[in-house]
Amino acid sequence: MQIGLAVVVFGFLVLTVINQWSEIKSEGVHFHVLWLIPALIILLLYYVLAAFGWDLILRSLGYRIGFGRAQVAWGQPLLARYVPGSVLYVLGRVLLSERAGVPRRISVASIVYEQAISATSAIVVAAYFIIKHPDLQGYPERWAVVLIIPIAIAILHPKVFGKLSTKALRALGRDPLPVVMSLRDVIALIIYYSLIWLAVAFGIYSVARSVTYVPYSDILLVGSAQAIGYFAALVTLVAPAGLGVRDAAFAWAAKAALASRSFAVATLISIAVRGVMTVAELIYVGIVTAMGRREGWSIQTGILHPSPEEQADTGE
């Protein structure tokens, strides 16, 4: 059902472009391939920075696995996000982290922290845009997005998160977490992830410029549109890797940066963004997979293979 819904939503976007192609051409759409070079570089850097953010979360929880291993553990299972439920993605990260000495429950806790902090930072970046979006001016409910930020921070407070995680783990017959993140680290990482969104804004803007003209003054506006798409995908949880849902939300938000306010043009930009991000993701996964195999950290065909050190310890 998740795959079917993703196909329907993304297919709707494609049909929008096809049916409105005459409108798109009339809006002066062009294709400048050179703009895709900085876009690809910046979006590739995004994955590196996101993996390092997770590494910082692990450090806050008392575990240092190193920059390289963090990239491998975070990045190698990345394509498994497209499997509905993302169970394989989480499992891959947990297994690779365990090889680096991180207990499974700490890995799961770090992933929970990562998703919550990423969502909060996306809200921070997108809040102003949502409030000012022309399509929402008649809805006072749009101000509610501001309230989500302190609520999310309050939930991540060590006293609150500690109690919630303890209850959840005990219900599963597990021991409580030995450590939780401090409030200072939580706030610092929210700032860090917010800065990542600002960096992503330049990559998304470059993709948009490869399709049509967008003023330089709208760089942050286009970047915040991607944050809105990310948050929409995270909240709905109806499509693997946010396919379709994320793209539709981005198109709705990105049209505010266009002089024509054309949803069809914004949809074309959204599809282009998805394509470039997919290429950057494939390159990144290829690089970290090669790193993992060279160091014996890889997971192949769902099986955890022993590293050379482990083989030496067991006499294999």
Side-chain angles (χ1 to χ4, degrees):
M1 291 178 63
Q2 285 183 309
I3 294 176
L5 183 58
V7 171
V8 168
V9 176
F10 196 78
F12 165 77
L13 296 177
V14 174
L15 288 175
T16 298
V17 171
I18 294 174
N19 292 333
Q20 301 298 324
W21 186 248
S22 58
E23 174 189 337
I24 291 174
K25 290 194 297 182
S26 67
E27 297 297 339
V29 169
H30 57 259
F31 295 98
H32 293 313
V33 180
L34 291 179
W35 274 102
L36 296 180
I37 297 175
L40 192 60
I41 294 173
I42 294 173
L43 294 177
L44 184 60
L45 179 62
Y46 156 72
Y47 290 107
V48 176
L49 295 175
F52 181 64
W54 176 64
D55 185 24
L56 293 177
I57 293 174
L58 282 179
R59 295 184 189 187
S60 179
L61 295 173
Y63 291 86
R64 291 179 176 268
I65 65 175
F67 179 84
R69 287 199 172 192
Q71 295 291 324
V72 173
W74 188 91
Q76 190 186 348
L78 201 58
L79 298 181
R81 294 181 306 157
Y82 294 95
V83 178
S86 298
V87 176
L88 292 180
Y89 173 57
V90 174
L91 178 61
R93 287 178 62 176
V94 168
L95 292 177
L96 284 168
S97 300
E98 186 179 34
R99 162 158 295 172
V102 181
R104 294 186 178 186
R105 57 199 180 111
I106 295 295
S107 297
V108 173
S110 70
I111 294 173
V112 173
Y113 269 121
E114 178 190 39
Q115 295 301 314
I117 291 173
S118 297
T120 304
S121 66
I123 296 170
V124 170
V125 173
Y128 176 80
F129 175 80
I130 292 175
I131 292 171
K132 292 295 184 177
H133 196 284
D135 290 351
L136 299 178
Q137 292 307 300
Y139 299 90
E141 297 87 355
R142 70 189 189 280
W143 289 93
V145 67
V146 179
L147 300 177
I148 301 177
I149 300 174
I151 292 174
I153 295 176
I155 293 175
L156 292 172
H157 190 282
K159 292 183 178 180
V160 178
F161 186 83
K163 291 180 179 179
L164 292 176
S165 63
T166 297
K167 289 182 179 180
L169 289 170
R170 284 179 176 172
L172 297 173
R174 303 291 184 179
D175 294 330
L177 293 175
V179 63
V180 293
M181 288 181 61
S182 66
L183 182 61
R184 182 187 65 182
D185 289 346
V186 167
I187 294 177
L189 279 162
I190 290 175
I191 295 174
Y192 172 80
Y193 276 89
S194 298
L195 292 176
I196 291 179
W197 281 117
L198 294 179
V200 170
F202 289 91
I204 301 301
Y205 174 80
S206 298
V207 177
R209 279 300 303 268
S210 72
V211 175
T212 188
Y213 174 75
V214 180
Y216 287 107
S217 58
D218 287 335
I219 289 178
L220 296 182
L221 189 61
V222 174
S224 64
Q226 181 68 2
I228 291 173
Y230 171 84
F231 183 71
L234 194 63
V235 171
T236 54
L237 294 174
V238 296
L243 183 64
V245 175
R246 183 172 183 168
D247 308 291
F250 171 84
W252 168 80
K255 71 175 185 177
L258 303 176
S260 62
R261 297 294 191 270
S262 171
F263 180 75
V265 176
T267 299
L268 181 60
I269 295 174
S270 175
I271 294 174
V273 168
R274 170 65 72 172
V276 175
M277 290 197 71
T278 299
V279 172
E281 186 174 333
L282 290 172
I283 294 174
Y284 175 74
V285 171
I287 292 173
V288 297
T289 298
M291 290 172 53
R293 289 180 178 175
R294 185 184 62 184
E295 300 296 337
W297 304 334
S298 295
I299 295 178
Q300 299 174 0
T301 64
I303 302 173
L304 185 62
H305 294 274
S307 65
E309 294 82 0
E310 291 168 335
Q311 290 179 352
D313 291 340
T314 58
E316 295 181 1

